[in-house]
Amino acid sequence: MRSLLALLLLLIPLPALATEREIPTSSSKDDGPQIEVSTGVEYEEGNYGSGTKINILSVPTSLTLSTGPLQLVATLPYRRVEGPSNVVPGGILGLPILFDPSQPQSESITREGRGDLEIGAIYSIPTRVVNMAFSGSVKLPTAENNLGTGALDYTLGAEVSKPLAGGIVPFASFAYTLPGSPDGYTLQDSYAVSAGVAVMIAARTQAHLSYRHADNASSLISSDQRLLSGLNTRLGEGLSLGLYGSAGLTVGAPDFTTGVRIGLPLF
């Protein structure tokens, strides 16, 4: 049943990358800064090799400032976790969990509260050959109830894409993360790579399909490999809607993830 659900989720188009792609509309403005607030709900489930089912429900809220080729993004999630007490959700590189070695594994419990605040910047450079974007972010230790590692993490990334005829855009991305040094953890620098294709299926709607491989900063968990699919669309003059899901291919990935995102421009 779980495998069937994961397969169905792949048929739901969704954002393939952590950074959203802008869909041009008649309301898009190039003469000044734009601010958008967005929120959504995401659910993921798996055991990640622990032998115990782990459920994570997240409600991320983001504020995005766009001005010319630069985007500044701040995201603060609220999380609810059902699983052993030594499970820390929302690990670096977007990996779903880490195991806290200072906590003994226990029976499944429920924790909820504020997660870590992530602040990042994306700079886009269109060229005649390809479009490029460079990004950097820092994860601040604002989580409560053992919902974070309590350390700063830094990530640098780059993406390249090539618009083709028919609204087809193949893309690839790379991210490299330098984790902090929280007490009790032995973490190493890690990377993530993604490759896929985006297709305009309507004037205001873009679909995505991609594969992602993310190394884990902890030797206690295997790499996260998954297939992702998604759909981004514009509703009316400003409201944006994203639907997404993924299917895990390795033990270190969630069995499945699904979510919805809604964005509203403030001006």
Side-chain angles (χ1 to χ4, degrees):
M1 178 64 181
R2 186 172 296 174
S3 298
L4 176 60
L5 180 56
L7 178 60
L8 291 175
L9 287 172
L10 279 176
L11 301 179
I12 303 175
L14 111 151
L17 298 176
T19 55
E20 298 262 343
R21 297 174 178 276
E22 179 68 18
I23 301 173
T25 67
S26 58
S27 61
S28 297
K29 298 179 180 179
D30 298 322
D31 56 354
Q34 301 174 59
I35 297 178
E36 180 186 70
V37 61
S38 65
T39 189
V41 178
E42 180 177 295
Y43 175 82
E44 61 186 57
E45 179 180 309
N47 62 48
Y48 312 96
S50 68
T52 302
K53 185 171 71 172
I54 300 167
N55 303 325
I56 303 176
L57 181 69
S58 301
V59 181
T61 299
S62 298
L63 187 66
T64 302
L65 169 64
S66 301
T67 175
L70 179 65
Q71 275 192 336
L72 303 176
V73 185
T75 301
L76 182 66
Y78 186 89
R79 289 197 168 99
R80 183 177 187 271
V81 179
E82 295 181 37
S85 60
N86 69 333
V87 169
V88 178
I92 56 177
L93 281 178
L95 297 177
I97 66 164
L98 292 171
F99 292 122
D100 184 351
S102 67
Q103 295 282 341
Q105 184 166 335
S106 66
E107 295 183 357
S108 183
I109 62 173
T110 299
R111 291 167 288 143
E112 59 183 293
R114 181 184 63 249
D116 288 326
L117 173 65
E118 184 173 357
I119 301 175
I122 304 167
Y123 191 83
S124 300
I125 305 176
T127 70
R128 294 184 178 181
V129 180
V130 296
N131 294 331
M132 301 182 66
F134 297 94
S135 62
S137 66
V138 57
K139 181 178 71 63
L140 305 176
T142 60
E144 54 188 356
N145 298 331
N146 196 36
L147 295 175
T149 63
L152 289 167
D153 298 327
Y154 303 92
T155 299
L156 298 173
E159 179 186 295
V160 61
S161 61
K162 174 65 175 178
L164 303 176
I168 300 174
V169 184
F171 59 85
S173 68
F174 176 83
Y176 190 83
T177 293
L178 297 87
S181 300
D183 293 339
Y185 288 87
T186 301
L187 301 179
Q188 58 189 0
D189 295 356
S190 302
Y191 70 92
V193 292
S194 297
V197 62
V199 181
M200 295 298 298
I201 59 176
R204 293 169 174 254
T205 304
Q206 187 181 57
H208 311 259
L209 179 65
S210 70
Y211 163 81
R212 189 182 79 156
H213 176 110
D215 193 20
N216 205 299
S218 171
S219 61
L220 300 176
I221 308 175
S222 64
S223 63
D224 178 344
Q225 299 180 45
R226 64 175 88 178
L227 293 175
L228 307 97
S229 65
L231 182 74
N232 287 333
T233 188
R234 293 285 179 179
L235 305 175
E237 290 301 314
L239 188 67
S240 63
L241 174 67
L243 303 173
Y244 58 94
S246 73
L249 302 176
T250 57
V251 174
D255 294 336
F256 67 88
T257 301
T258 186
V260 59
R261 172 196 174 276
I262 297 176
L264 179 67
L266 298 182
F267 69 83

